[in-house]
Amino acid sequence: MGSARILQDLSRAAIRASDPFRCAALYGYCVGRSAGKALEGVVRSFPRVARDFARAGYAPATLLDALGRSEDRRLVSLVAGNAVTPTQTLVYLTWHYNSAELSRVLAKHRNMRPELLEALPWKSDGAIAEAIAGNHGASAELLERISGAVSETGNKLLARNPAAPTAVLDKLWATGDIFVRGEVAAHANCSKTALEEAMRSDVILLRRKAASNPNMSINGLRAMASDAASEVRAAVVRNPRTSTCELPTTPDASARVRRCEARRGGLGAVLVDRLAADDDSWVRRWLARNPSVSREALAHLAQDKHEEVRRGVARNPGSPPELIAALARDECAWVRAAVAYRQDCPPELIDAFEQDSSLDVLAGVAQNPASRVHVLTRLAGHGDKDVRRAVIRNRSASAQVLDSLCEDPYPLNRACLAMHPALDSQALKRMLDDPDAQVRFTATQQYVRRLTGGSVV
Amino acid sequence: MAEILVIASHRSGELNPGTLEVITAATELKQATGNKISVVIIADKPDQYVKALSVGGVDEIIKVSVPQAEFQPDYYESVVLAVADERKPQLILAPHGVDAWSFMPVVAAKRRYGCATDVFEIRYEDGKPVAVRAAYAEKMHMELDFPHKETVVLTIRGNTYKPSETSATPAISEFQAPAVEPRTRHIGFHAPDTSGDVDIAQAEYILSIGRGIAEEDNVEQFNELADQMGFTLGCSRPIADNGWLPKSRQVGQSGKTVSNCKLYLAMGISGSVQHMAGMKHVQTIVAVNTDAEASIFNIARYGIVADLFDIAEELKQHFQ
Amino acid sequence: MKILVAIKLVAALDEDFEIREDGCDADPDYLDYQLNEWDDYSWEVALQLAEKFPDKIEAIPVTVGPERAEAGLRKCLAKGGERGIRVWDESLEGSDPMVIGHLLAAVAKREQATMVLAGTLASDHAYAQTGMCAAAELGWAHIAVVSRLDLDPEASEANVRRELEGGIEEELAIQLPAVMTIQLGINEPRYASLRGIKQAKAKPLETLTPSELGLSPQEVGEAGSLSQVRRMYIPEKGQAELIEGTPAEQATRLAEIIKELRGDA
């Protein structure tokens, strides 16, 4: 049977069963056919389901487009507010409706193109102008034009909009309150003059923001490295323009600053040694997770009395096999779990985890693509639904292992299973009639996707 | 003069402060209706509570001795019914809570009194009480009235009225408890199990993170923030499924229901039905999300539309 | 012995919703019906007991509601149990927990049940009264908010714990027969197997009317109720208060809120 014919049969069955979920999943593949209207009709006949789709992140784009073109104002407004609504639908909504309320929702949408934002009636509606001020898709030119039309709230949104041009920021610096000025000082387009004023300000917030500015001069950073306020010094350390060679050799009095040091890449050996011996466990936690730390330092941190420091080492991609093997026997389950989730974990270590009493460890093993078939087969029969779902989420799980999970009583597990590319097509087909709506939706979507190779027939 | 009975609540020798709030509620009604307020204290040694109950608004304290120190429904019901049969009160009030749940509806049902629970506003219209309470997880308020009921039983939501604080010298009387055979027997109290891992279900202050975190490397800074704030870090399912936080930290239908939470700060959580089911008992929810249309804002008390990393960084500045 | 478990198909509100024309409830267009969450737990309690003592204990779900309420019974029966009971006729429209409790009591007598379990409350109206009203009508021992239940069907009393403030529990013995309301978290409710869901469709459901249970017209509907809904409305504070400004400003306000709520200086 050809795929078009199968699709037709599936659609008929979904319509006959009056199942809005199967219909929604099929919709994208039947646009332009008479079945498309009928499928949409079934979805629309369940107002609550239609509204749920209109606001859902998982809604098919074609369905959102259809719902956006309906005469139901509530549905249209939900589609306009849905972050995954495609630009083409937003184009339609922008040109087709003349509603201030809808325009305000559209003005916030991240998929709005600059010329669409331009077309909204921002001159006559302050709330629209304000929403555009906060839209990161707006052009510098538009932001400049609306900058005169927005209130204090709009100014705050403008000051943190990455597209805001220097001229606008200068104006905001001159007129804004301390919070607006703070945003200007941190902005990549902030003028040199404003930045220097911020640097010399009495207000800690402004100095801290200036110290975090990606264009701050090296000299400026050097000057602020000895600032009286620890939050400013911390911002200097965090700024990638501060070279790690510039970090002070003597420990900063504030743990806040030392924690930031421990997060920096490319730390020198002396500094690492100093941080590894720090009294503040957070300094050591950050260091343990730092991928640039040497094996020697990691070996030292792997002995730390604080379990979260040891876990950091166990998650560190730079930790060598012998450390990982040692941490696999850690007394703390959360440290062992960190090892169990590592894809470079040797199979014999994973095998040893199989008898672990911790669900976190077992879930790590179940999800690990390096786990062997016999381990996955056994965990697929585990009593805990989260462990079974971890097997389902394992992208190396075989069709046979997955097949044993088709009747999992937990609906979410079946929905996840339907998404697995290795699931046998016959098994997937059986899920089309699942009692759970979410499972039917996902299974139908996946089944059709396989059938059509993802393209509209 | 008509009467309002307030049934005092206590545990392990301590008066439940909700009792004083109920007295305030009764006092407000007294000003409107001129009713007398009588507080019924049922305990093995009721005298120990008399001082704490001698507060402004109270006209009489009715002491009733029963053989058991701790709450027992059969004693409470028989006493309240006997007092009510004699005094014919207009209202019988008690603080809404575990004990009230066990006996107040029974009192109402046995005499077919009017009844409403978890009430946060009472007023009189045309001489008849109207009670206001919430439904549908606080999304709606409902007004109840009680047609043809001479007596109405109400349990009053906590933290609605200020506890009565001024002292007073009410009349003190004693009431003979009817003889009943109690059908439940107190064996003891058990403290919550605090051994083992962090118990998110019992945490009072929770910072919870969701999909908006995007990467495992981003989790640690929220661990740090929670630590600085003195909050317990929780998460939604995707975070636990990825192994980024222990499963014991997961809030939601397939995870835990947080039952003791005063403040829940949800960051980067859009609000799946399952997750929101786990946080339905939270007193105050604050949501931080970049998507202004996210479902979580529908149940939040405070909303912040912003990038969660920006807010986290700034929030850190306030908790050192 | 028979354990009757009262269940309710509750109405859940859509995110945005409208009020019904008479102003007394939500517009049904915005409602979605599902089994009350607490009932999953009380049904699980009964099922576990029935499985522990297969020849001695029968668990029966009971509901009061129109035909759609059968979905709730089927959901329970998909997990276990052999039969369900539904009580309804139109005279029950507008009934409050007193009437429902009265009907449950009548069913309990008819079935000669030894125990009635109900959820501590239902998530729609949250009255937390139904179970206790049934207890009053039956004259049985009762306790609310049960977080643990141990039962030996041969014994004359059960050992239970009820959840108090702040996670503390009171342990107590309760005489049988008894009515208990069950708290969330008492167990981990199972999910129905696909086979169970299929089989449940064929399990018998008995339908009873109030008059068959001996209730007079004065004992049902508004006449039999202890309260009456006059009006429902959306509270002003229903929407989130948006904290605006720059992140630094928003965080400052948030920190204030946190410190205030926690009573920090």
Side-chain angles (χ1 to χ4, degrees), chain A residues 185 195-196 199-200 206-229 231-244 246-248 257 264:
Chain A
L195 201 50
E196 272 169 28
M199 217 181 107
R200 284 192 293 271
L206 295 187
R207 300 205 303 278
R208 169 164 67 85
K209 289 293 189 182
S212 75
N213 192 297
N215 297 321
M216 191 64 198
S217 67
I218 306 294
N219 282 334
L221 287 169
R222 275 186 196 142
M224 285 191 285
S226 52
D227 198 288
E231 45 270 68
V232 179
R233 300 198 302 277
V236 170
V237 172
R238 286 288 297 282
N239 195 321
R241 283 175 67 92
T242 301
S243 153
T244 44
E246 300 259 339
L247 297 176
V257 179
R264 285 296 306 262

Side-chain angles (χ1 to χ4, degrees), chain A residues 103-419:
Chain A
S103 295
R104 284 178 209 144
V105 180
L106 287 169
K108 287 184 195 160
H109 205 289
R110 62 182 183 194
N111 291 346
M112 286 288 277
R113 283 203 300 254
E115 68 272 20
L116 289 176
L117 289 172
E118 184 97 26
L120 297 171
W122 58 267
K123 281 180 189 143
S124 57
D125 190 320
I128 297 176
E130 208 172 281
I132 293 175
N135 193 319
H136 294 191
S139 65
E141 192 199 357
L142 180 58
L143 291 178
E144 186 146 13
R145 278 198 286 139
I146 63 159
S147 65
V150 296
S151 63
E152 187 64 19
T153 317
N155 278 338
K156 288 181 175 163
L157 293 165
L158 262 182
R160 58 195 269 211
N161 193 324
T166 308
V168 169
L169 295 173
D170 272 344
K171 231 188 300 172
L172 292 169
W173 176 261
T175 58
D177 67 11
I178 146 154
F179 292 111
V180 170
R181 288 158 73 99
E183 288 303 311
V184 174
H187 203 288
N189 297 340
C190 178
S191 69
K192 263 208 164 88
T193 334
L195 201 50
E196 272 169 28
E197 274 183 50
M199 217 181 107
R200 284 192 293 271
S201 164
D202 293 339
V203 181
I204 294 177
L205 169 69
L206 295 187
R207 300 205 303 278
R208 169 164 67 85
K209 289 293 189 182
S212 75
N213 192 297
N215 297 321
M216 191 64 198
S217 67
I218 306 294
N219 282 334
L221 287 169
R222 275 186 196 142
M224 285 191 285
S226 52
D227 198 288
S230 63
E231 45 270 68
V232 179
R233 300 198 302 277
V236 170
V237 172
R238 286 288 297 282
N239 195 321
R241 283 175 67 92
T242 301
S243 153
T244 44
C245 322
E246 300 259 339
L247 297 176
T249 41
T250 46
D252 195 290
S254 163
R256 188 205 308 248
V257 179
R258 303 196 307 275
R259 290 177 188 183
C260 291
E261 288 172 351
R263 294 172 71 172
R264 285 296 306 262
L267 296 173
V270 179
L271 188 50
V272 168
D273 285 349
R274 192 247 284 163
L275 293 170
D278 204 292
D279 281 346
D280 183 80
S281 69
W282 276 104
V283 173
R284 305 196 308 279
R285 272 178 86 159
W286 281 114
L287 194 67
R289 287 193 170 255
N290 192 326
S292 73
V293 166
S294 67
R295 289 179 170 210
E296 295 71 33
L298 285 173
H300 175 72
L301 290 164
Q303 312 275 337
D304 201 282
K305 61 179 187 295
H306 197 302
E307 59 202 37
E308 286 286 356
V309 177
R310 302 198 302 277
R311 173 168 164 91
V313 178
R315 289 309 292 159
N316 194 318
S319 289
E322 62 276 12
L323 267 193
I324 297 303
L327 290 166
R329 291 185 298 272
D330 199 281
E331 56 174 23
C332 169
W334 190 225
V335 177
R336 298 197 302 278
V339 176
Y341 273 93
R342 283 185 79 108
Q343 298 191 14
D344 60 0
C345 193
E348 54 282 7
L349 274 189
I350 298 186
D351 287 357
F353 278 141
E354 206 198 327
Q355 304 301 324
D356 206 289
S357 59
S358 155
L359 292 180
D360 289 311
V361 175
L362 292 179
V365 172
Q367 207 159 316
N368 199 323
S371 289
R372 293 194 260 219
V373 176
H374 69 273
V375 176
L376 290 185
T377 306
R378 230 164 311 165
L379 290 176
H382 197 275
D384 185 272
K385 61 185 186 306
D386 293 338
V387 174
R388 297 197 304 274
R389 188 169 62 261
V391 175
I392 292 166
R393 287 164 51 93
N394 189 325
R395 52 189 160 79
S396 307
S398 66
Q400 204 178 356
V401 168
L402 295 173
D403 206 51
S404 72
L405 286 156
C406 277
E407 302 246 314
D408 196 298
Y410 188 49
L412 176 68
N413 285 8
R414 300 199 300 277
C416 289
L417 186 65
M419 284 192 276

Side-chain angles (χ1 to χ4, degrees), chain B residues 181-222:
Chain B
E181 200 52 51
R183 292 169 298 179
T184 69
R185 184 162 41 84
H186 173 79
I187 295 174
F189 291 115
H190 297 271
D193 183 14
T194 50
S195 63
D197 197 35
V198 174
D199 190 1
I200 197 95
Q202 292 302 329
E204 287 187 325
Y205 297 93
I206 296 173
L207 164 63
S208 202
I209 53 176
R211 234 185 257 275
I213 287 292
E215 286 176 36
E216 180 178 6
D217 285 346
N218 293 331
V219 174
E220 199 70 343
Q221 58 188 294
F222 288 88

Side-chain angles (χ1 to χ4, degrees), chain A residues 48 51 55 74 156 410, chain C residues 12 14 16 30 32 191 249:
Chain A
R48 178 152 182 175
R51 284 196 299 273
R55 61 178 147 231
R74 185 66 205 134
K156 288 181 175 163
Y410 188 49
Chain C
D14 197 355
D16 44 1
Y30 295 86
D32 190 17
Y191 289 87
E249 194 174 7

